[in-house]
Each structure stands twice: as structure tokens, then as C-alpha cells.
């Protein structure tokens, strides 16, 4: 703050990623004792269904060996562990695969290494160092929402940018003039969110699969059409709190604008699939059949967990509708599973 007010994106990047004080740099945020619970932590079926998605595409591509599986923001490594177990029965898949993780948190890297032992995992800070000499599948669950975004506020004669300033020892919101603008329709005082960082990430992921072959898949909470709305959100102990308190000790996110995300991929020349609701996506991949198979061998407590996990992942009042899925490829011959036909 020595340099005056900062935009929401800079504030978010520091709160989450500061090498010493950043939220993700210090702790494991997941689970009942943490701040939030994600789909892979709800049920093993989530990672298993993403395994079905990747295996199907890998088979459509003629089972390339080697290939790279790239996960963005793998959390505790649960999704990848479930995915690899589910694909274990597909001849050649696991042997052909090498794992690359985009992760900034040293705490979570350790947990990922433990969850994925004895697999050989390589970690990267960004997509820059991911190899492109073999086909790759890029996946990310609740990753795009963690990337910095900025907030524009409609004022009478144009746009201002929302900034965060220090007043005494408290953070407060303010406004600053800006060169940024948007075509999204808004009334005075409406907030519009833009995320150049997210678009750049998607575009870079697309460039990689264009060069190397393969596909990308992102799942997150968000909205299908760009629209006004303030979705800046902080979670601590599973409760929403003000993003300006508990700095570095709460998870900060925004809802993903899937129209903007899709546009970034189209601008990079990719074909896009979705966005589609997570419930419909998981059902199309066979999550109900998987749940039935698990239920056959389950005791009463396990059966309850399977049923409640299925409900949470797919029901429209839970994660089924709020969460969306979007996929990208460059190859006309590939038909990513799980998306309804256009
Ligand atoms: N995919 C996991 C975790 C989601 S939380 C799950 O579904 O459970 C977000 C993850 O992205 C964490 O692993 C966090 O450390 C990582 N992350 C957030 N911002 C990042 C950034 N800018 N660069 C690299 N990793 C990031």
C-alpha cells in the first residue's frame, strides 16, 4: 500500500500468492476443518468421471504414447489420484502418461506428492515450462476462479476501476479512473468483472494444445453469459466474509465468466464445447452407473456417502447447475464426451 490503492486483481494475487503471507502458500485450505470443500473432496466419482473423459479422448486419438496430463491447481491431488485409479484398467494409459502440475503452493505440492506416490510428477509455476513435444490433456477444477480479476464500475460518463486502499489500519474500497472499458451492458453503479489473467491463461493453454495436440477441460462455478454483478467472494471456515478482512487467511475468488473464457479460446482459434452444467456433464459420462456399481459393494455408511456425494455433485440445488464445464480442442476428429450436441 506504500504505492497507493491497488486494483482488485493485484490485491487478490498478493492475498493468495504472497510468498510468505499468501493464503495458498501457508496452508491446506480444504475439507471440514478448512475453509471450503471442492468436488474431488466430495466424492471419488468426480475424479473418476474426469478419468473417463480423458481416457475416451486418448483412445479417440489412437492412444498416443507418450502423452502429458497437465492439472492446473491440483489442491490435495485427490482428483488426479482418483482419475489415475479409474484409468488403471485401460491398457497402456498409465504407462504412457506423465504428470505435470501447475501449482504455486509448497504446502499443496507436498500433499500432491504424497497422494500420487509412486508416480513421477513434475511441478510448474505457470504453463510456460510445460513441454509441448507430445499430446497433452489440460484439466483444472476450481482453478480459473482463483486467478486475479478486476472490477469496473459504471459511472455516468464511462467507467472507473474499483481499487482497495488502506484507511488507518483497515482496507476499504475506492474508485480510480481507468483506461479499461467493456461492451457489457450496465447501469450506473453496476460492477462488471473482467479477468485478463484468466483469458491469458486460457489462451496460453489453447496455444499449447494447438502445438502439441490434445484437449483442455475446465470446471468452475460461474455464469454462461457476461453480465453485470459483483461476485468478489471470501470464504473462511465455510462462511462468506468480507474480502477485505482476514487478509491472507481467507480464500478469495470470483465467479468465472464462461462467455469471456470461451471467447479467449475462440480468439486463440480453438473449438469450444460447452459451457455445460456440471450435473449434465457428469451424468453424460456415466456417474449414475458408477454410483450404482459402488453401492453394490458398500456398507450402510458408505452407501450414504455415495448417495450424498452424487447428490452434491449433480443436483441443480447443489453443485450441479452453478458449476459449468468448458472444453477446448483443435482437432475436428475429436469428440469430447459429456457435452450435449450443438
Ligand atoms: N483443483 C483442486 C483445488 C482447487 S483450489 C480441487 O478441486 O480440489 C485452487 C488451486 O489452485 C490450489 O491448488 C491453489 O494452490 C492453486 N492456485 C491458485 N492460484 C494459482 C496460481 N496463480 N498459480 C498456480 N496455482 C494456483
Amino acid at each position: 500500500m506504500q504505492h497507493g490503492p491497488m486494483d482488485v486483481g493485484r490485491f487478490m494475487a498478493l492475498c493468495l500468492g504472497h510468498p510468505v503471507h499468501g493464503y495458498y502458500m501457508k496452508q491446506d485450505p480444504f475439507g471440514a476443518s478448512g475453509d471450503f470443500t471442492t468436488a474431488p473432496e466430495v466424492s471419488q466419482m468426480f475424479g473418476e468421471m474426469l478419468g473417463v473423459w480423458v481416457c475416451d479422448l486418448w483412445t479417440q486419438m489412437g492412444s498416443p504414447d507418450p502423452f502429458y496430463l497437465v492439472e492446473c491447481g491440483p489442491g490435495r491431488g485427490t482428483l488426479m489420484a482418483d482419475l489415475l485409479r479409474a484409468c488403471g484398467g485401460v491398457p497402456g494409459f498409465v504407462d504412457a502418461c506423465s504428470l505435470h502440475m501447475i501449482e504455486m503452493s509448497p504446502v499443496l505440492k507436498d500433499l500432491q506428492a504424497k497422494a500420487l506416490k509412486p508416480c513421477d510428477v513434475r511441478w510448474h509455476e505457470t504453463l510456460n515450462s510445460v513441454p509441448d513435444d507430445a499430446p497433452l490433456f489440460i484439466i483444472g477444477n476450481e482453478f480459473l476462479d482463483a486467478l486475479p480479476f478486476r472490477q469496473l464500475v459504471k459511472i455516468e460518463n464511462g467507467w472507473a476501476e474499483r481499487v482497495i486502499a488502506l484507511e488507518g489500519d483497515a482496507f476499504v474500497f475506492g474508485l480510480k479512473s481507468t483506461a479499461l472499458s467493456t461492451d457489457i451492458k450496465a447501469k450506473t453503479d453496476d460492477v462488471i468483472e473482467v479477468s485478463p489473467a484468466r483469458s491469458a491463461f486460457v489462451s496460453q493453454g489453447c496455444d499449447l494444445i494447438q502445438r502439441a495436440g490434445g484437449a483442455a477441460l475446465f470446471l468452475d462455478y460461474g455464469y454462461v453469459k457476461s453480465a453485470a454483478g459483483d461476485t468478489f467472494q471470501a470464504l473462511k471456515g465455510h462462511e462468506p466474509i468480507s474480502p477485505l478482512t482476514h487478509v491472507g487467511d481467507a480464500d478469495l475468488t470470483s465467479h468465472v465468466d464462461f462467455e469471456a473464457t470461451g471467447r479467449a479460446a475462440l480468439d486463440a482459434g480453438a473449438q469450444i464445447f460447452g459451457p455445460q452444467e456440471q450435473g449434465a456433464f457428469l451424468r453424460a459420462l456415466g456417474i449414475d452407473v458408477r454410483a450404482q456399481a459402488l453401492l453394490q459393494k458398500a456398507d450402510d455408511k458408505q452407501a450414504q456417502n455415495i448417495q450424498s456425494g452424487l447428490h452434491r455433485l449433480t443436483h441443480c440445488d447443489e453443485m450441479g447447475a452453478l458449476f459449468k464445464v468448458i472444453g477446448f480442442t483443435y482437432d475436428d476428429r475429436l469428440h469430447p464426451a459429456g457435452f450435449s450436441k450443438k
Side-chain angles (χ1 to χ4, degrees):
M1 286 293 159
Q2 278 167 7
H3 306 288
M6 57 175 89
D7 67 62
V8 171
R10 173 101 185 108
F11 180 79
M12 184 174 180
L14 284 171
C15 288
L16 296 182
H18 184 281
V20 179
H21 305 295
Y23 176 73
Y24 278 116
M25 309 308 263
K26 302 189 290 204
Q27 63 218 316
D28 168 13
F30 305 103
S33 59
D35 295 318
F36 58 98
T37 304
T38 55
E41 305 299 332
V42 167
S43 167
Q44 68 182 70
M45 294 184 287
F46 185 78
E48 290 172 348
M49 290 304 110
L50 295 201
V52 169
W53 187 86
V54 171
C55 265
D56 174 56
L57 275 177
W58 180 71
T59 310
Q60 288 183 38
M61 290 175 71
S63 311
D65 178 1
F67 74 96
Y68 302 126
L69 197 45
V70 182
E71 187 177 355
C72 309
R76 286 178 168 172
T78 310
L79 190 169
M80 188 56 84
D82 292 336
L83 182 157
L84 291 173
R85 196 187 54 252
C87 298
V90 178
F93 181 90
V94 174
D95 287 340
C97 166
S98 61
L99 296 179
H100 293 263
M101 305 296 208
I102 312 297
E103 178 56 73
M104 66 176 178
S105 162
V107 181
L108 294 177
K109 276 182 205 167
D110 275 353
L111 290 177
Q112 290 155 21
K114 286 198 186 99
L116 294 166
K117 238 178 192 160
C119 292
D120 183 22
V121 182
R122 268 170 283 171
W123 281 272
H124 307 261
E125 299 277 311
T126 67
L127 287 173
N128 290 342
S129 48
V130 171
D132 62 0
D133 56 347
L136 36 85
F137 299 100
I138 303 175
I139 57 174
N141 183 60
E142 287 207 39
F143 174 75
L144 295 179
D145 67 75
L147 296 183
F149 70 105
R150 294 167 72 170
Q151 291 189 318
L152 299 178
V153 180
K154 184 83 176 78
I155 53 175
E156 249 151 58
N157 47 357
W159 296 95
E161 178 158 16
R162 210 168 180 204
V163 290
I164 292 162
L166 201 51
E167 219 173 65
D169 55 7
F171 289 108
V172 292
F173 283 116
L175 286 181
K176 164 183 115 172
S177 61
T178 180
L180 291 176
S181 69
T182 166
D183 301 333
I184 302 167
K185 287 205 175 22
K187 305 185 298 297
T188 303
D189 294 336
D190 275 353
V191 174
I192 301 274
E193 297 179 337
V194 294
S195 179
R198 195 180 291 146
S199 296
F201 189 91
V202 165
S203 169
Q204 193 180 4
C206 286
D207 287 347
L208 254 178
I209 57 172
Q210 183 173 29
R211 290 200 301 277
L217 188 76
F218 291 97
L219 304 94
D220 227 307
Y221 43 85
Y223 44 99
V224 166
K225 287 268 165 231
S226 301
D230 177 0
T231 74
F232 194 8
Q233 169 177 303
L235 276 185
K236 186 161 174 57
H238 299 263
E239 295 293 329
I241 57 165
S242 158
L244 302 188
T245 59
H246 297 90
V247 167
D249 289 318
D251 184 41
L252 299 185
T253 63
S254 70
H255 285 216
V256 172
D257 176 346
F258 276 91
E259 185 176 352
T261 304
R263 196 175 329 108
L266 288 172
D267 288 348
Q271 299 172 35
I272 68 173
F273 297 83
Q276 158 135 333
E277 290 180 357
Q278 173 173 297
F281 179 79
L282 294 176
R283 288 225 150 85
L285 286 168
I287 195 167
D288 293 307
V289 177
R290 179 60 183 145
Q292 286 311 317
L294 287 171
L295 283 169
Q296 306 258 304
K297 290 183 250 159
D299 62 27
D300 285 354
K301 180 147 194 309
Q302 289 167 330
Q304 216 179 346
N305 284 339
I306 295 161
Q307 298 282 19
S308 71
L310 179 65
H311 184 80
R312 237 176 122 182
L313 293 178
T314 58
H315 197 272
C316 57
D317 293 335
E318 300 269 349
M319 300 171 114
L322 175 62
F323 280 71
K324 316 286 188 300
V325 190
I326 195 164
F328 311 125
T329 67
Y330 282 84
D331 186 340
D332 288 338
R333 292 164 304 178
L334 294 183
H335 302 287
F339 296 99
S340 37
K341 299 270 173 290
K342 284 186 186 157

